[in-house]
Structures are given as structure tokens and as C-alpha cells.
Amino acid sequence: MVQIVTNKKVFAGRVINLYQTLLKDPAGNKISRETVVHPGAVTVIPLVSNTKVILVRQYRYAAGQYLWELPAGTLGKGEAPLACAKRELQEETGFVPGRLKKLMVFYTCPGFCTEKMHLYLAENLKPGAQKLDPDEKITYKTFSRREIRRLVKTNKIIDAKSLIGLILWLQKKTWYSVR
């Protein structure tokens, strides 16, 4: 079992904290790690029909470009993933899901980050109004399965959470049933 020798917070941000940790493995070797502590997040596959999905487009500073992505967002303090999925879908697209089905949970990058992403499938969408945060500039568009395949193949969709969700959607037709 790995033991923590020291664990020091070196940065506290609005969403993340960064820790520098010294560990000791069972053989007594010391290992230094830096870890981004993140509250977790959700991402949603919003189905318009069995063959169409909504993606959002926004500027991602870290990537230095606009990206097409699945709607997603960070969990608020004490917020349940299901509530966050409903909130983020409406904020970013205006749509309210008639049904949300949890598909999986995965770590985004466990080599240095604690963020767990909760992936949901949203069905029976009802139109509403976008409720963007003041600093967000997000547009959305409906894409067919064929368009999604092309976007994935040509590296036009390049963020991991969207690739995971969309590739699973393209491969596992039995996961959903739009009514």
C-alpha cells in the first residue's frame, strides 16, 4: 500500500486545487506527485432522435480554439450528478430532458487529476431557453450519425469526453430508445 508522507496544497483556484504530494511505496521508495483536485463533472448525449444528437460549440482557451463538444459542466458543491446533467443541458442548449439515463463514470486523466466524469444519455428533449453563465458564449447544432462519424474521423471532435460519449453512441444502439 502506498503511504502519504506529505500532502501540500500549492494552489487554490475557483474550480481546482493543486497538491504536491510525497508518497512512499511498499519498498520504501519515495515518489513525488502533483495532483489536480477537481469536484467532478457531467457530460450529456442529447438525443433529438435515434439518429441525431446536439453538440455545443465554444471557445476553449486551453486548446486555443473553438470546439464541438457534448454539453458538459462541473458539479456544484453538494450537487448530485443527475441534477448537474439536467442543469448543464438546459444552460447550454435550452433543452430539458424528459429522461436521463446514466451510462458510465470515468476518470478524465487519472495520472494527475481526480476529476470523475458522469456520462448521461438525454431523451425526449423539450425545447426551452438557454441559460448561459455570463462568461459563456455557446452555440449549438444538431448533427446526424453520419456527420458525427465524419467529424470524429477527421479530428474535428477532439475532446475526450465527447469522443467517449459519441463513439459509444455510434456503437451501442441498444443504449437508447427515443419515444
Side-chain angles (χ1 to χ4, degrees), residues 2-176:
V2 175
Q3 294 178 335
I4 297 172
V5 177
T6 61
N7 193 30
K8 180 182 177 187
K9 186 187 290 187
V10 294
F11 174 79
R14 183 178 58 82
V15 176
I16 63 161
N17 293 309
L18 176 63
Y19 286 83
Q20 194 166 36
T21 307
L22 185 61
L23 305 166
K24 186 164 63 168
D25 71 13
N29 300 309
K30 292 194 176 172
I31 307 161
S32 178
R33 292 289 182 261
E34 289 144 3
T35 306
V36 173
V37 176
H38 187 282
V42 300
T43 191
V44 181
I45 305 168
L47 293 184
V48 175
S49 70
N50 284 339
T51 61
K52 294 189 178 184
V53 65
I54 296 170
L55 295 182
V56 297
R57 185 173 188 263
Q58 62 184 313
Y59 185 78
R60 294 298 196 177
Y61 175 76
Q65 62 185 306
Y66 283 89
L67 299 178
W68 282 108
E69 306 175 22
L70 289 173
T74 302
L75 291 166
K77 187 171 181 158
E79 185 178 31
L82 182 65
C84 184
K86 287 179 186 176
R87 175 179 57 77
E88 287 293 340
L89 181 61
Q90 184 168 14
E91 282 180 10
E92 295 187 2
T93 69
F95 288 93
V96 177
R99 182 174 101 136
L100 276 171
K101 179 180 179 183
K102 192 169 198 172
L103 301 180
M104 67 171 49
V105 178
F106 56 91
Y107 283 100
T108 57
C109 195
F112 70 88
C113 186
T114 65
E115 181 183 28
K116 274 188 185 177
M117 182 74 65
H118 302 261
L119 175 63
Y120 286 88
L121 182 76
E123 300 175 290
N124 303 324
L125 303 179
K126 294 164 185 61
Q130 271 184 311
K131 298 179 179 181
L132 297 174
D133 292 334
D135 64 338
E136 291 180 317
K137 304 282 188 275
I138 297 174
T139 58
Y140 65 90
K141 182 179 169 188
T142 301
F143 291 87
S144 68
R145 294 174 80 78
R146 185 173 167 195
E147 290 170 315
I148 294 295
R149 277 189 203 94
R150 185 174 38 79
L151 290 170
V152 169
K153 277 183 165 180
T154 59
N155 287 321
K156 301 292 188 225
I157 296 176
I158 57 172
D159 84 291
K161 71 183 179 322
S162 298
L163 287 169
I164 289 168
L166 292 168
I167 290 169
L168 289 173
W169 175 62
L170 291 170
Q171 300 298 318
K172 300 287 246 173
K173 296 177 188 175
T174 57
W175 279 5
Y176 63 91

